Amino acid sequence: AQSVTQLGSHVSVSEGALVLLRCNYSSSVPPYLFWYVQYPNQGLQLLLKYTTGATLVKGINGFEAEFKKSETSFHLTKPSAHMSDAAEYFCAVSGNNQGGKLIFGQGTELSVKP
Amino acid sequence: GAVVSQHPSWVICKSGTSVKIECRSLDFQATTMFWYRQFPKQSLMLMATSNEGSKATYEQGVEKDKFLINHASLTLSTLTVTSAHPEDSSFYICSARDLSSTSYEQYFGPGTRLTVT
């Protein structure tokens, strides 16, 4: 079985500060890991994904995440927050034993203060 | 590329009526589409997995006779909420997997806001 835990339902940072959103996963098979962003009343947009290979993954809008197998983590970071980064962020896991299903974390709401 | 559309984007209907929501992959073929439901300030709840040309697979606790899913082609899946009631009011989101993708990535539609009065 697979599961995802996002630590912190709400994170608040100042504009220009480091953004760190935490995600830990559980998986009995090699995981595929994803970060999605959702703006109010919209669908989800893929920020980045890890499948195989390089463990540091760069995504859109300056975000990146590092797959750490030993820590079962896939934390999302951005060096400098922008006001437009305020949104809901979801970490998700999938693998070849789930029929393509994505298992989502609870989500983290990111607020950016001016 | 990899655009998924949903129609309508919002709908208001009276209790007891049925509502159909369409999900289309615009620039790729999708053998598998997924339907999610999202309550305010909550994560996405998978309702069912829709495979082209076969019956949908529903998650535990989801009433298949209430939420009818049809995946008639490689670019279109529909969700029909039958005999809708106020408790069915929610944000419904579909996603699609690219036929050619091996990474299980899903592309999401913009969502449909359903309000049942």
Side-chain angles (χ1 to χ4, degrees):
Chain A
Q2 295 178 312
S3 66
V4 175
T5 301
Q6 290 182 240
L7 297 176
S9 59
H10 185 248
V11 171
S12 182
V13 301
S14 298
E15 191 173 20
L18 171 72
V19 175
L20 171 60
L21 304 183
R22 298 179 187 274
C23 172
N24 287 87
Y25 70 91
S26 173
S27 180
S28 57
V29 297
Y32 291 176
L33 295 158
F34 306 85
W35 275 100
Y36 285 90
V37 61
Q38 184 181 33
Y39 298 98
N41 296 308
Q42 294 187 26
L44 275 66
Q45 180 184 11
L46 180 69
L47 282 176
L48 48 80
K49 65 181 179 183
Y50 169 79
T51 54
T52 58
T55 56
L56 181 61
V57 180
K58 295 186 183 299
I60 62 172
N61 301 340
F63 284 94
E64 63 181 37
E66 186 170 11
F67 169 61
K68 292 187 176 180
K69 184 177 179 180
S70 61
E71 298 178 8
T72 60
S73 69
F74 191 58
H75 302 329
L76 181 71
T77 61
K78 181 174 181 177
S80 176
H82 192 273
M83 295 297 290
S84 60
D85 294 327
E88 188 83 18
Y89 291 80
F90 293 98
C91 181
V93 64
S94 186
N96 60 14
N97 68 339
Q98 287 287 336
K101 292 182 187 179
L102 284 175
I103 307 300
F104 283 92
Q106 307 92 312
T108 298
E109 182 181 6
L110 176 65
S111 300
V112 182
K113 299 175 292 187
Chain B
V3 178
V4 176
S5 70
Q6 276 184 248
H7 179 79
S9 56
W10 60 271
V11 57
I12 301 173
C13 71
K14 293 189 175 183
S15 188
T17 62
S18 296
V19 174
K20 179 183 286 188
I21 302 170
E22 291 187 350
C23 177
R24 294 181 185 271
S25 57
L26 299 185
D27 51 3
F28 65 98
Q29 292 184 321
T31 52
T32 306
M33 290 184 171
F34 302 86
W35 287 95
Y36 297 86
R37 183 173 181 177
Q38 187 179 34
F39 293 102
K41 301 293 185 181
Q42 294 189 26
S43 188
L44 281 71
M45 181 190 79
L46 179 64
M47 299 175 65
T49 301
S50 167
N51 290 297
E52 186 264 339
S54 63
K55 290 184 179 180
T57 302
Y58 291 82
E59 295 299 301
Q60 190 172 8
V62 177
E63 298 176 65
K64 60 182 180 181
D65 294 331
K66 181 166 188 62
F67 299 100
L68 300 179
I69 292 172
N70 183 273
H71 193 153
S73 75
L74 286 174
T75 59
L76 173 64
S77 176
T78 59
L79 168 67
T80 301
V81 182
T82 63
S83 186
H85 290 283
E87 57 265 32
D88 299 324
S89 298
S90 191
F91 193 54
Y92 293 87
I93 306 175
C94 73
S95 69
R97 277 188 59 202
D98 190 332
L99 180 64
S100 62
S101 171
T102 58
S103 67
Y104 298 103
E105 178 179 343
Q106 294 180 21
Y107 302 99
F108 286 80
T112 297
R113 174 75 60 191
L114 170 63
T115 301
V116 184
T117 61

